[in-house]
Amino acid sequence: MTDTQTLYAAYSGIIDTALGALVSEGVLPEDASFKNVTLEPPRDPSHGDLATNAAMVLAKQAKTNPRALAEQIAEKLTAADGVVSADIAGPGFINLRLEPSAWLNELQAITALGDDYGRSAMGAGTSVNVEYVSANPTGPMHMGHCRGAVVGDALSSLLELAGHDVTREYYINDAGGQVDVLARSVHLRYREALGADIGAIPEGLYPGDYLVPVGKALASELGDKFADAPEEEWLPVFRAHAVTEMMEVIKGDLALLGIHHDVFSSEAALHQAGKPDEAEKWLRENGFVYDGVLEAPKGKAPPEDWEPVELPLFRSTQFGDDQDRPIKKSNGAWTYFGADLAYHMQKAEKADELIDIWGADHAGTVKRIKAAVAALSQGKGKPTPFDVKLVQMVQLMRGGEPVKMSKRSGNFITIADMIDEVGKDVVRFTMLTRKPEAQMEFDFAKVVEASKDNPVWYVQYAHARIQSTVRKASEEESVSPSDEALGQLGDEELTLIRRAAQFPREVEAAAKAREPHRIAFYLYDLATDLNAFYSLGNTALEKRFIVKHDKGLSAARLSLADAIGQVLRNGLRVLGVEAVDRM
RNA sequence: GUUCCCGUAGCUCAGGUGGAUAGAGCGUUGGAUUCCUAAUCCAAAGGCCACAGGUUCGAAUCCUGUCGGGAACACCA
């Protein structure tokens, strides 16, 4: 055996060859596009092993009707290796039936490729920067950040498996006014640590207890020299300290979720390096920035202090935004957008494609940042593909009742609380069982349930069953299956292999669509098939993985079990969820 | 008022970028276990894919509009 090739890849190749032959015969035009040709399992398994829509997609280009073209394609495919028959059905589907050995080869491919089964070359040569979490460094991570964190991390892993060179990046918003608030809050805790009676935390400062240790640390490090000093003396010191401390807290929370970023980019550092000025200069030269007056906010009464001011505005209306957006404030400081724009320019210099994962509350700013990237990447000659994934809210529930959160008192549910209660794997998997753009509920009671209703549990259970079986088998001597033994595997086993064989396509499709949740749903389906097969053995001893007195068949079935376990592990790895051996 | 997301079985949700007869779980009804993990499995019932138009060989999927649910709309971050 030379290169280990997965089944769908191999047969896609066979179809390409057949279509290529039709091009050289003049049936299809030279410039025919095969872009929309797909190869997939037929909806109804009785139709065959594989189905292609090639004839329907290409009929127009061939200037003929789908069924006529299908006949010509089918004729070529019938001659191909491992193909038993190629039948035309419905409006022009071609259904292929394969030798059983084709599926058995896939079984061996899974074993041979191991952890690499599912890895694709699709994304090779394209680097992607995924920015996610980017929570403000003003406190521990809470629930609001969790879903985006998990989705971003799983998406990164998925893109890696699909062959992309991925950078996981975190943007630290350490330059805005909220960091001054943080510094003041810490200063208060610092005085408290020195023995001052600070009373209640004033409105507008962060009340959370998590700042107490930060204050103490600063008190022992700095003594009392800033206790009564004017703010301008201590503010920069406290700001830097507080941000560093908070980032340590956040990195700790992320680690609990199994998340590690490659790059932490600081907004303050961006300013220091003069990046926003560079961006503004280029944008002005190219007519994307001008000085103008903002319109009053629409749809509600304008703020009392609203008055028209001239500001440098970015022409985001050219890209479909409602209004042009200021990049600087009237006091001359950069707006968040002004800095963010420069930040994206910096990212686009290093990566071929950009993805941001944002909370839905930032939906209103998507258009302007997309506009900015579109404008800026014109300078590079070719536009940088840029995707903003919005992650919708998660409603926390407990036994069907919403969990109340009071942000004002500083009592919110943190990531750490959540993981402490239900575990990392449950949090991660559950967050991936909805498409991100749909709102979801997270019920503490339900996600720890041990039942089919709980996908995390169900998938892990399937894996644990496999491992248990393999353990049991290894007590006896291990036999690697002969071809003859593999030949004994029947339809029921092939169903399982068919599902497993879809994993590589599932990875590519999910990566292309940037939807890691598809892997979670796929794993659930695979687990269902495994459990269905497993249950056959409850009433029929000869359907068990381990069949007494038939070492050949047992070895063949065990290699199947092992392969399914491998695919479950590979999928769970993308999601960042442990594949447990025992439950 | 504007923008974005959502609307699929009684409930919670999938639906592979336009394909074949619409898919799961829960719940309901009926069945299966001496024995590899029954925390499981098999089966039945359950649908105007919110509504109305449009695009084409073909629409839950794409376009327009309407209705309903959610979110955002400052030079904040």
Side-chain angles (χ1 to χ4, degrees):
Chain A
M1 188 161 55
T2 51
D3 240 2
T4 306
Q5 201 175 16
T6 59
L7 188 133
Y8 279 91
Y11 282 88
S12 296
I14 285 172
I15 289 176
D16 283 344
T17 309
L19 296 177
L22 289 174
V23 169
S24 53
E25 288 170 22
V27 176
L28 287 166
E30 286 288 333
D31 58 351
S33 156
F34 303 152
K35 202 177 104 242
N36 295 322
V37 174
T38 61
L39 178 67
E40 47 192 24
R43 187 184 297 247
D44 184 342
S46 69
H47 289 155
D49 291 309
L50 299 172
T52 177
N53 63 354
M56 291 183 288
V57 174
L58 297 172
K60 224 173 236 172
Q61 300 185 52
K63 299 200 173 69
T64 176
N65 72 66
R67 291 195 65 108
L69 180 59
E71 279 184 35
Q72 304 196 55
I73 299 174
E75 192 186 325
K76 298 262 187 263
L77 293 178
T78 313
D81 238 18
V83 175
V84 176
S85 67
D87 301 322
I88 299 156
F93 285 102
I94 303 171
N95 293 322
L96 299 179
R97 249 169 243 285
L98 305 181
E99 309 268 4
S101 64
W103 294 109
L104 299 176
N105 287 342
E106 187 71 357
L107 186 58
Q108 290 171 317
I110 296 171
T111 309
L113 289 168
D115 288 349
D116 283 329
Y117 184 71
R119 187 169 294 285
S120 160
M122 187 182 82
T126 311
S127 59
V128 184
N129 179 298
V130 185
E131 183 208 324
Y132 60 106
V133 188
S134 298
N136 285 340
T138 54
M141 288 179 67
H142 57 267
M143 269 309 304
H145 306 118
C146 184
R147 194 175 182 187
V150 170
V151 168
D153 196 57
L155 176 59
S156 299
S157 300
L158 175 62
L159 292 172
E160 271 168 356
L161 191 60
H164 290 282
D165 178 11
V166 176
T167 302
R168 297 157 196 251
E169 186 152 337
Y170 186 118
Y171 182 47
I172 309 172
N173 299 136
D174 52 0
Q178 85 284 356
V179 186
D180 291 338
V181 174
L182 175 72
R184 289 187 196 107
S185 309
V186 169
H187 187 259
L188 201 65
R189 294 298 190 179
Y190 158 79
R191 292 203 297 120
E192 182 184 43
L194 290 171
D197 179 12
I198 59 168
I201 308 290
E203 191 75 14
L205 293 187
Y206 298 121
D209 292 341
Y210 57 88
L211 293 178
V212 173
V214 181
K216 279 189 185 146
L218 279 172
S220 63
E221 189 181 326
L222 302 170
D224 62 358
K225 69 174 173 176
F226 290 121
D228 300 308
E231 180 174 298
E232 57 270 25
E233 278 179 31
W234 53 258
L235 193 66
V237 179
F238 276 65
R239 198 163 47 195
H241 264 93
V243 167
T244 307
E245 290 297 324
M246 288 305 104
M247 283 312 297
E248 285 311 309
V249 170
I250 288 171
K251 284 178 192 175
D253 287 341
L254 287 170
L256 291 177
L257 274 173
I259 294 175
H260 304 277
H261 288 81
D262 302 313
V263 177
F264 288 85
S265 285
S266 149
E267 185 186 353
L270 193 79
H271 286 294
Q272 261 170 18
K275 292 288 180 186
D277 298 283
E278 274 178 40
E280 181 186 8
K281 182 163 176 287
W282 189 87
L283 290 167
R284 271 192 194 275
E285 281 166 4
N286 290 274
F288 291 116
V289 165
Y290 67 102
D291 294 314
V293 176
L294 267 188
E295 294 167 48
K298 288 180 187 132
K300 56 181 185 183
E304 283 168 27
D305 56 349
W306 190 86
E307 52 183 31
V309 196
E310 197 180 66
L311 295 167
L313 300 179
F314 172 72
R315 287 190 197 277
S316 45
T317 46
Q318 277 191 5
F319 302 87
D321 202 358
D322 306 342
Q323 56 177 295
D324 293 336
R325 304 290 174 173
I327 60 170
K328 276 184 183 170
K329 308 181 208 173
S330 50
N331 66 7
W334 293 99
T335 61
Y336 181 84
F337 173 60
D340 206 24
L341 178 156
Y343 171 56
H344 280 78
M345 182 166 82
Q346 177 181 289
K347 285 197 290 186
E349 282 164 9
K350 293 184 204 148
D352 300 323
E353 296 185 15
L354 305 181
I355 300 174
D356 286 2
I357 312 286
W358 290 358
D361 51 340
H362 289 69
T365 64
V366 171
K367 279 190 176 173
R368 74 189 71 161
I369 196 66
K370 282 196 145 182
V373 170
L376 286 162
S377 56
Q378 286 184 9
K380 281 203 335 186
K382 73 173 168 89
T384 300
F386 173 47
D387 212 357
V388 179
K389 286 268 171 203
L390 289 180
V391 181
Q392 289 289 333
M393 306 276 114
V394 177
Q395 172 73 55
L396 286 184
M397 310 284 278
R398 192 179 291 280
E401 292 295 312
V403 176
K404 298 226 167 60
M405 277 188 279
S406 157
K407 216 170 181 176
R408 210 180 45 218
S409 66
N411 286 332
F412 40 81
I413 295 192
T414 63
I415 301 258
D417 295 338
M418 206 175 163
I419 292 173
D420 195 44
E421 182 166 344
V422 301
K424 176 199 79 157
D425 289 340
V426 166
V427 171
R428 290 192 60 125
F429 200 105
T430 307
M431 292 293 168
L432 293 164
T433 52
R434 296 264 181 294
K435 49 185 174 194
E437 65 270 25
Q439 288 151 244
M440 74 179 292
E441 289 180 1
F442 183 98
D443 195 314
F444 281 98
K446 229 169 178 183
V447 294
V448 293
E449 222 171 77
S451 79
K452 198 176 181 184
D453 194 22
N454 178 2
V456 198
W457 182 86
Y458 189 71
V459 170
Q460 289 186 321
Y461 179 63
H463 187 260
R465 271 185 153 177
I466 288 172
Q467 294 306 93
S468 155
T469 307
V470 170
R471 273 198 303 274
K472 178 108 181 168
S474 67
E475 290 164 11
E476 295 152 41
E477 62 191 297
S478 70
V479 190
S480 59
S482 61
D483 286 354
E484 193 192 349
L486 286 172
Q488 292 184 65
L489 297 181
D491 269 351
E492 282 136 350
E493 289 94 334
L494 289 186
T495 301
L496 214 36
I497 301 174
R498 282 193 189 97
R499 177 80 69 181
Q502 285 173 51
F503 183 62
R505 332 173 30 246
E506 207 69 45
V507 167
E508 291 192 351
K512 205 175 273 179
R514 281 139 187 208
E515 292 180 345
H517 73 274
R518 285 193 198 176
I519 301 298
F521 283 97
Y522 167 78
L523 291 176
Y524 185 83
D525 288 342
L526 183 59
T528 301
D529 287 346
L530 185 276
N531 282 325
F533 180 76
Y534 190 97
S535 294
L536 294 175
N538 284 331
T539 43
L541 286 177
E542 73 280 5
K543 294 284 175 64
R544 296 186 152 219
F545 282 102
I546 303 165
V547 184
K548 281 209 172 93
H549 313 305
D550 194 340
K551 290 202 166 156
L553 183 57
S554 297
R557 292 244 176 92
L558 284 165
S559 75
L560 172 64
D562 207 44
I564 303 303
Q566 182 72 59
V567 175
L568 285 171
R569 283 194 294 281
N570 291 3
L572 286 170
R573 200 177 338 109
V574 171
L575 308 184
V577 173
E578 203 89 16
V580 298
D581 291 346
R582 283 189 171 82
M583 297 183 76

